[in-house]
Amino acid sequence: MPILCIIGAVLLQAAAYGWLSGRYDTSGSLYLTCSGFALAALIFNVVHLVRRRIDRGEQQPAAGPLLAMNVVTAVTFLGFYVSLAWIPSALASGVEAAVGPLAVALLGLAGYGRRATAKGWLASAALIVPGAAVAVSLGDGATSGDGLLLGVILVVVAGFGASALAVISAELGRRGVDPIRTTAHRFHLTYLAGGALLAVEGGPGPRWLAELPVVLITGLTAVTVPLFLLQFGIQRTDPMLAMVLLTTVPGLTYLAETAFHGGFDGLTFACVGCLVVAATWTALGTARPTGKPHDPGPGSGRLDEETTDSSVRA
């Protein structure tokens, strides 16, 4: 069930962004994404509060990890969007996805989350080549020189942030924290930061205000629902497996974009096919449980040590 939720989130997000491709510029995409984040916070806070009133059960302490989720989500989001000033979004999303499994392995080696198994290291190495190939083939129009380098550095930071989110989510899952509660709390800093970034770019104009109902509906479908499915899945799945599955998002988005808008390219299609096959093969070889709720599991490391005290105090 958790893996199916991640796959569902990947397919829904890829289909939505493939359909949306070309319909929004960078500012419009930022506006749409911020709307989706804000909707997620609003909807799931309401659901969470209603459930608390009905259940009246004691919540598991999780203030530390939830605060970390807010900060890392915002850093990941801003790193990705600022990188778009220098590199195309397709290249940015491809690089972010390609570094994901390797970032999980390196975080585990540094003591954050579980240490990767030999199969996990093999998976992260095996996916770098097809992931990078997809990123490069999708990255037509990239600048060169310092701008390209800075953009790639920012999106690599975003890739490590996405991997850290998977590690933190697994920890929340081990503590028995409801994904509804996580989704209700994790986006507050992100939509505020995104709104500030949007204001710096000039803010939404009158046309955007008129399109707000359409943007909200689209944001619900393309952002809010996939985010919850993904959150539900990654809280119950090994972070390495989650990031392996997420490497397919840029390639599947390209396939959806081709289906909706045309523009088929044989080389890119071959790279995407290799990436999907490699991701499927490594996913089958790296799957393992995250452990029962409240069971930190072997090698959970520094994340548990650093978040437990603050969570208990909360």
Side-chain angles (χ1 to χ4, degrees):
M1 180 63 176
I3 294 177
L4 291 179
C5 285
I6 296 176
I7 293 173
V10 166
L11 294 176
L12 183 57
Q13 194 171 56
Y17 279 102
W19 181 76
L20 290 169
S21 178
R23 299 175 187 267
Y24 292 97
D25 57 13
T26 302
S27 296
S29 179
L30 178 60
Y31 181 43
L32 173 67
T33 307
C34 285
S35 300
F37 287 146
L39 275 174
L42 176 62
I43 291 171
F44 287 98
N45 265 287
V46 171
V47 174
H48 177 56
L49 290 173
V50 170
R51 290 183 63 180
R52 283 187 63 183
R53 290 179 64 90
I54 294 174
D55 296 342
R56 299 187 182 278
E58 182 179 352
Q59 294 189 21
Q60 299 301 327
L66 288 175
L67 177 60
M69 287 284 281
N70 259 278
V71 174
V72 178
T73 301
V75 169
T76 302
F77 171 76
L78 291 176
F80 181 86
Y81 268 96
V82 173
S83 75
L84 300 184
W86 295 281
I87 60 177
S89 59
L91 176 59
S93 60
V95 171
E96 182 184 25
V99 303
L102 179 60
V104 169
L106 291 173
L107 287 170
L109 190 64
Y112 295 95
R114 293 179 170 181
R115 288 182 178 270
T117 63
K119 288 182 178 180
W121 282 103
L122 179 61
S124 63
L127 288 170
I128 285 290
V129 174
V134 170
V136 171
S137 62
L138 292 175
D140 292 339
T143 59
S144 60
D146 294 340
L148 175 62
L149 178 61
L150 183 57
V152 170
I153 289 173
L154 285 171
V155 84
V156 167
V157 171
F160 271 82
S163 300
L165 290 172
V167 172
I168 299 169
S169 294
E171 167 64 12
L172 288 167
R174 283 191 291 270
R175 295 186 182 206
V177 177
D178 193 331
I180 290 177
R181 181 184 173 195
T182 305
T183 309
H185 287 89
R186 66 169 286 196
F187 296 114
H188 295 309
L189 186 57
T190 307
Y191 65 72
L192 290 174
L197 184 59
L198 193 59
V200 168
E201 293 189 354
R207 179 177 63 85
W208 287 3
L209 187 61
E211 294 177 356
L212 181 59
V214 175
V215 169
L216 290 177
I217 294 173
T218 306
L220 180 67
T221 305
V223 181
T224 306
V225 174
L227 283 175
F228 176 69
L229 288 175
L230 184 60
Q231 189 63 52
F232 183 92
I234 62 178
Q235 284 195 202
R236 293 165 167 79
T237 305
D238 183 78
M240 179 63 75
L241 175 59
M243 297 312 298
V244 164
L245 293 173
L246 289 173
T247 59
T248 62
V249 171
L252 293 176
T253 299
Y254 164 75
L255 295 180
E257 183 179 350
T258 300
F260 287 120
H261 306 293
F264 176 81
D265 178 77
L267 178 60
T268 303
F269 180 80
C271 291
V272 171
C274 290
L275 176 60
V276 171
V277 170
T280 302
W281 178 75
T282 52
L284 293 174
T286 58
R288 60 175 175 158
T290 58
K292 298 178 181 179
H294 313 297
D295 173 20
S300 56
R302 196 174 302 170
L303 177 64
D304 298 319
E305 297 170 5
E306 293 185 349
T307 57
T308 300
D309 291 343
S310 60
S311 301
V312 171
R313 284 198 300 271

